Each structure stands twice: as structure tokens, then as C-alpha cells.
Amino acid sequence: MASPISSRDKYYILRVSSSSLSAQEQFNEILSQIRVLNQMSRLSSSSIVFVRLFISDVANQLQYLPEDQPDYALSIIGQAPLDGTKVAALVYIMQGVTVNRVTDNTVAVTDGGVTHYWTTQVQFSGQNSHEQTVSIFNDYIAGLQSCNMSLLNNCIRTWFFVHDVDHNYLGVVNGRNEKFAEQGLSTDTHFIASTGIGGEPTLPSSLVQMDAYAVDGVPSSDVHYLYAKSHLNCTAEYGVSFERGTYVDYPDSRRVFISGTASIDNRGRVLYEGDIIAQTERALENIEVLLAEAQTDFSNVQYLLVYLRDVADYAIVKEQLIKRFNDTIPFVILQAPVCRPKWLIEMECVAIR
């Protein structure tokens, strides 16, 4: 279990103690860690608000999870932890908040005059990934509107987990582009920080699964978008629509949401094809420049999610991260192909200042 980073908002990366445990034992251990965190947090007037479980075999492992719906927002995605275990977790705890379930998919977290909305596990059956993505957005937009919010004004962050990303990502891109244009998101307004990555949805008929985070009660003047033009280009230049990063000035802190970031330059080109070490360093460099634009750095980063295409790259990437950060930043390395085959690695993070 990682140590808490911030005295008010705490992120944990939870791991299983041994890969030799049975699947049931591994899930029991992770769920026990979450329960202990929940009990400890309540003693300090805190609450778990979001949990994402990374599991190695969706078809066989959902049976190890409780059927009861938790109080917090729960995201489950098929992305195998590459340390040889079957499950890992990202847990987010906030202090002094009220947590309410709005719908089966959405939890509202009230923090003073600000309300945070975590929506998870949005997925539909459909003929293809384009059709499913449009349905996902229609459902999410309707949910926002029921809370007097909109995609344009309130959504801060999305995650798209795509089955067979090499073949289905284009449908996600086209569906997102269509819904963004319809909702007034463009290069003249803004897009949304996002990760689009390989992962297995929990429904066998789904090709796409989405999580999202929205906020109400923060003025638009306190929401800012990151570009890092010395290192990165506008994503619309190669036909996609997301922001490289977004930072929000809340009453108590600045929080920086860095999108999935890979080894890319400011012309949209993949750098260091076939070289996992160089791609890792470039991705970290790109993140560092984005953080600097938000007046933050890696000392403010709460965790790293690291996505690899090739499991054989695990040991060398882990070594690089430990050498770079000396265990100061919790991270988990997952098997999850990036949206372009030539990208071997992608990372995302949240920083709080």
C-alpha cells in the first residue's frame, strides 16, 4: 500500500502482496485493503470517493467482487497489472465531504460549494465502437443535463477503455468528434482531458467503456487548458479531440489532470520507434513540460498510471521509474496497448498543489 501524499486529498495505489496467492485470495486482499482504508478515513472525517480496479481476466474475475453497490464510484477495467498479480487498485479519498449516489453510474461528492461528479462503467452494446461511443455520450450528456450541467461547461476528464484498440479506436475518435461538435466543443472553445487506451470492458458485448469526472460550482475562469507547444501539438491537427491536460483552481488547491501522454513531438509524430527506454523518457519529459505550464512539477504528482503494449518491457520500465523517482510517486504498470501501435508506452497522472 502506498503512503498518502496529501493531508487533505489522498491517493493510494493498492497491490497484492504475492502473485502466488489464488485469484480469490488476491481479490480478498485488495478488498480488505479498501475496507481498512475506508474505516481509517472515517476516523478522520474522510471518505473514499473513487476506486478503479485493474483486473487481469474480466471474464472470470468479476465473480470475486461483491454484488452490493458501494457508496463510492467504482470503476472496473480489464488491464492486467504487470507485476504478475491479478488485481491492483487506485483509491481516492477526500476529507470533509458528503458522498451521495445520484444514479447507478454516478456519485456526487459535495465539498463546500463545489460538487464533484464521478461517473463510471458507462457502456452499451452496439454494432461497432462508433455506435457505442455515441450511445455512451448520449447517456452521459443526459445525466449531466439532469444535474443542470453540460459537457462543455462541466466535464473535466474522461477515460475510454477500448477492446482491441488497434481496430476500434477510430470509431471512438469519430463518435467523440461528432458529439463534441454537437455540444459546442471545438478548437475555438476547448476539448476535455482524456485517456483513450486498450482495456477490456466488463460487458462481453461492449467494445468501449467510459469513466468521467465533472465538477459544478467552479467558475469557468478557474478551469485552464495545457498545451506545452514546445513539445506537443494540438490533437485536432491529427483528427482527434482532447486536451493534453487541464488544471482547475478549486478553493483549497490547484489540481492538474494530465491526459494519457506518449512519446510524441510538436508535429504529432511518434518519437523513438521501437525504443522503450527513449519513449519512456520522452513521455516523462512531455508530462514534465505540461506540469510546468500549470506551475507544478513531479513533486506534486500523486500517482502515475503506466500503460504498456508489450509485457516484456515491464522490468526495464519499472527500473527507469524507480531510478527517476526513487519510490516517491506511487505507480502501477498495466498491460494496455496505446492507440497507435508504434507507441510502446503511455502515462497519465494527477498533481495537486
Side-chain angles (χ1 to χ4, degrees), residues 105-116:
N105 295 99
T106 298
V107 165
V109 181
T110 305
D111 182 14
V114 176
T115 303
H116 312 262

Side-chain angles (χ1 to χ4, degrees), residues 44-321:
S44 60
S45 301
S46 301
S47 301
I48 292 179
V49 300
F50 174 82
V51 173
R52 180 173 291 147
L53 294 176
F54 309 99
I55 67 178
S56 60
D57 184 357
V58 168
N60 291 297
Q61 292 169 352
L62 295 179
Q63 63 178 312
Y64 302 126
L65 299 174
E67 293 183 3
D68 296 339
Q69 192 174 59
D71 295 333
Y72 49 79
L74 175 62
S75 170
I76 305 166
I77 188 63
Q79 291 177 329
L82 288 181
D83 60 0
T85 61
K86 297 180 181 297
V87 58
L90 171 68
V91 180
Y92 179 38
I93 293 176
M94 296 180 69
Q95 187 177 42
V97 297
T98 302
V99 182
N100 295 295
R101 182 162 292 279
V102 178
T103 67
D104 287 346
N105 295 99
T106 298
V107 165
V109 181
T110 305
D111 182 14
V114 176
T115 303
H116 312 262
Y117 291 85
W118 293 92
T119 300
T120 57
Q121 304 288 123
V122 186
Q123 54 191 317
F124 287 89
S125 300
Q127 293 184 353
N128 52 56
S129 59
H130 173 269
E131 180 179 309
Q132 292 186 18
T133 301
V134 170
S135 295
I136 285 169
F137 270 111
N138 286 340
D139 183 80
Y140 183 57
I141 291 165
L144 290 171
Q145 290 173 345
S146 71
C147 297
N148 298 313
M149 296 188 294
S150 68
L151 193 69
L152 176 66
N153 295 323
N154 300 95
C155 186
I156 302 296
R157 183 72 163 88
T158 60
W159 294 260
F160 288 92
F161 305 105
V162 187
H163 167 77
D164 190 4
V165 70
D166 292 342
H167 294 98
N168 290 318
Y169 185 64
L170 181 60
V172 175
V173 167
N174 290 338
R176 178 171 59 185
N177 287 350
E178 289 173 19
K179 298 308 295 184
F180 277 10
E182 174 190 289
Q183 296 293 311
L185 288 91
S186 70
T187 54
D188 294 326
T189 55
H190 64 81
F191 295 122
I192 296 169
S194 188
T195 297
I197 199 74
E200 294 303 312
T202 55
L203 293 179
S205 57
S206 296
L207 302 174
V208 186
Q209 182 172 301
M210 187 191 79
D211 292 347
Y213 166 67
V215 65
D216 191 25
V218 173
S220 59
S221 57
D222 288 337
V223 181
H224 309 269
Y225 303 96
L226 302 172
Y227 303 101
K229 293 182 179 179
S230 63
H231 283 62
L232 301 163
N233 68 331
C234 176
T235 61
E237 293 177 11
Y238 55 93
V240 294
S241 50
F242 67 92
E243 297 291 354
R244 299 294 187 183
T246 301
Y247 72 90
V248 183
D249 286 328
Y250 301 86
D252 65 321
S253 62
R254 171 171 295 178
R255 305 181 200 184
V256 187
F257 302 89
I258 300 297
S259 298
T261 302
S263 179
I264 190 172
D265 68 7
N266 60 4
R267 295 174 63 185
R269 299 174 300 186
V270 178
L271 296 180
Y272 311 117
E273 292 182 19
D275 187 338
I276 185 60
I277 295 177
Q279 285 204 17
T280 302
E281 289 302 319
R282 177 65 186 206
L284 289 169
E285 182 180 337
N286 287 344
I287 291 173
E288 190 168 36
V289 176
L290 288 165
L291 290 170
E293 195 169 300
Q295 296 84 50
T296 56
D297 56 34
F298 276 115
S299 69
N300 303 115
V301 168
Q302 309 297 287
Y303 66 87
L304 279 170
L305 299 183
V306 183
Y307 305 107
L308 293 185
R309 173 173 287 271
D310 187 350
V311 297
D313 290 330
Y314 168 72
I316 195 166
V317 170
K318 179 182 178 182
E319 181 181 5
Q320 279 184 277
L321 293 174

